[in-house]
Amino acid sequence: MTHGKVDALLGVVFGDEGKGKVVDYFTPQYDVVARFAGGPNAGHTIIFDGKKFVLRSIPSGIFGEHTLNIIGNGCVIAPDLFMAEARELEAAGYDVKSKLHISKRAHLILPTHRALDRAYEAAKGKNKIGTTGKGIGPTYSDKAARTGLRVGDILCNFAEKYAAAKERHEQILRRLGYEYDITEEEKLWLEGVEYMKQFPLTDSENEINQLLAEGKSVLAEGAQGTMLDLDHGTYPMVSSSSTTTGGVCTGLGVAPSKIADVFGIFKAYSTRVGSGPFPVELFDATGDRIRELGHEYGAVTGRNRRCGWLDLVALKYAVQVNGVTQLIMMKSDVLSEFPTIKVCTAYKVKSQESRVKSQE
Ligand code: IMP
């Protein structure tokens, strides 16, 4: 931790490394914990005071007594899911409203974004990405197309803006011939929009830079992993946000010179959820045993995670892309019962090898 600087804590392969747990461990050292990318596709599991919480949009610093938590401009947020998540914390006695600020520039995930996510996946058939179904891709697409709704929009003429966006989405859904019913979902979503108004909705980039100028320390909490990054991952089988160190700058509005340490988290073995290349995947009893011992089932979707040995080629690539200064290895105990542990040091593509040299 350095005063007046941002440290980044990132998943450096396919996500699900246990970032929430590590952020929770680091939180007492930092004044601010901020999420900079992604949304409720994440599921950061934390056991606090003996109770299990799965945080989707709320930063994992929320259990810190004096920690300010920020959902940054690079994030996407679903008001209904956010409300459920925050209320669960409130019911357990945590004061969320005084400790969580939300960027006015973060984008809103609409119920019709989720319907579009499902419709696009259905249309792709066997080429589907295997998304979490939370509307992430369609929301970031609207952001890039400059047609999205942002958190700040809920403060001014919202009904009108929402109706226009919904109609635009419904035209696409009709063209795709996709059947959906968002009636109940929409009621909760609109209640979530009202609920969000009780939180400080801020110009978070100004706020964070001001705090840094005062010498405060910030931990940027990543979501997903490098190989799911829109630019640097296994495109098109990726998520739609910037999950890497570059995403910290754009997703919080801080300059690269403000970043000090980059903590890269990985597991002693590999997992991947959803479709896409996974060279180290084990299709045998060893893969099943790793899944069982490591409890490798999705925190958000409950899906079986694909399992394999540690991939040093991917790890080396991620260290390079993110400028990792410190590596944190998780879940090595899961491998205790295996007499032999393997790691991947090279890929062979059509008899050509790309190798990670042992001294590197
Ligand atoms: P989306 O982010 O829901 O659009 O999903 C795109 C891809 O990223 C799918 O393969 C998902 O399984 C994967 N994905 C999204 N969020 C996570 C995560 O938090 N952990 C692991 N995989 C994820």
Side-chain angles (χ1 to χ4, degrees):
M1 186 279 292
T2 316
H3 292 289
K5 293 279 186 187
V6 181
D7 288 340
L9 191 137
L10 312 169
V12 286
V13 195
F14 286 112
D16 306 320
E17 307 87 356
K19 287 182 282 291
K21 201 181 286 175
V22 181
V23 176
D24 184 44
Y25 175 78
F26 278 156
T27 290
Q29 300 175 28
Y30 292 87
D31 300 301
V32 181
V33 176
R35 279 276 304 269
F36 61 90
N41 48 347
H44 295 172
T45 307
I46 297 188
I47 305 205
F48 202 81
D49 282 346
K51 190 169 169 359
K52 179 176 161 183
F53 298 93
V54 178
L55 299 178
R56 293 169 156 194
S57 293
I58 297 176
S60 306
I62 201 70
F63 302 105
E65 231 174 295
H66 306 292
T67 316
L68 171 64
N69 289 264
I70 295 178
I71 298 178
N73 59 278
C75 296
V76 291
I77 184 163
D80 49 348
L81 300 182
F82 169 75
M83 177 173 68
E85 189 180 327
R87 280 191 172 157
E88 193 187 334
L89 289 166
E90 286 181 317
Y94 298 100
D95 175 13
V96 186
K97 290 192 184 102
S98 71
K99 289 199 294 187
L100 177 63
H101 294 185
I102 306 171
S103 168
K104 281 196 245 176
R105 289 182 168 81
H107 275 247
L108 292 173
I109 302 175
L110 275 52
T112 39
H113 280 133
R114 293 191 287 239
L116 282 169
D117 195 356
R118 293 192 293 272
Y120 291 145
E121 282 285 86
K124 284 191 175 112
K126 68 175 176 35
N127 294 323
K128 71 175 184 183
I129 296 166
T131 71
T132 57
K134 302 291 178 215
I136 305 297
T139 306
Y140 278 112
S141 301
D142 268 351
K143 175 179 179 176
R146 295 153 294 177
T147 49
L149 288 187
R150 303 196 293 180
V151 168
D153 285 317
I154 69 178
L155 303 174
C156 178
N157 295 336
F158 184 65
E160 216 173 283
K161 293 176 197 166
Y162 173 65
K166 181 179 163 188
E167 174 52 25
R168 195 166 37 76
H169 293 161
E170 292 197 314
Q171 280 176 18
I172 304 171
L173 288 161
R174 280 195 292 274
R175 272 206 303 279
L176 289 169
Y178 187 75
E179 295 202 4
Y180 62 98
D181 179 3
I182 54 163
T183 324
E184 287 308 309
E185 206 176 320
E186 189 180 44
K187 273 188 213 150
L188 262 184
W189 191 86
L190 291 168
E191 191 186 328
V193 167
E194 289 309 310
Y195 176 79
M196 272 176 64
K197 289 182 184 165
Q198 299 171 40
F199 287 77
L201 308 180
T202 66
D203 294 314
S204 59
E205 57 284 356
N206 290 341
E207 191 178 19
I208 290 177
N209 281 295
Q210 182 58 40
L211 289 163
L212 290 171
E214 289 165 15
K216 299 280 194 288
S217 55
V218 177
L219 182 64
E221 176 183 7
Q224 291 82 46
T226 300
M227 303 311 282
L228 293 172
D229 180 275
L230 184 58
D231 286 271
H232 305 293
T234 55
Y235 189 90
M237 301 305 193
V238 292
S239 194
S240 299
S241 65
S242 295
T243 62
T244 47
T245 310
V248 175
C249 296
T250 54
L252 294 179
V254 294
S257 57
K258 295 284 182 215
I259 294 180
D261 268 315
V262 178
F263 302 107
I265 306 195
F266 69 103
K267 279 190 286 211
Y269 53 92
S270 304
T271 60
R272 174 165 200 169
V273 201
S275 322
F278 191 37
V280 290
E281 184 163 11
L282 290 165
F283 297 96
D284 56 8
T286 307
D288 293 342
R289 189 69 183 136
I290 292 177
R291 181 178 310 110
E292 203 179 310
L293 290 168
H295 306 288
E296 295 297 349
Y297 308 97
V300 171
T301 58
R303 288 181 289 181
N304 275 2
R305 292 180 184 147
R306 300 156 68 191
C307 296
W309 297 117
L310 178 60
D311 183 343
L312 291 180
V313 181
L315 186 61
K316 186 184 171 204
Y317 169 76
V319 166
Q320 169 188 279
V321 166
N322 292 297
V324 170
T325 59
Q326 301 192 44
L327 279 168
I328 300 172
M329 185 166 80
M330 304 292 285
K331 295 182 105 167
S332 46
D333 54 326
V334 168
L335 302 181
S336 306
E337 80 164 46
F338 293 95
T340 308
I341 296 167
K342 295 187 182 175
V343 295
C344 164
T345 58
Y347 298 158
K348 203 174 213 176
V349 185
K350 292 184 187 151
S351 81
Q352 289 242 332
E353 258 190 33
S354 68
R355 183 168 286 279
V356 180
K357 293 194 192 86
S358 55
Q359 73 270 23
E360 287 180 323

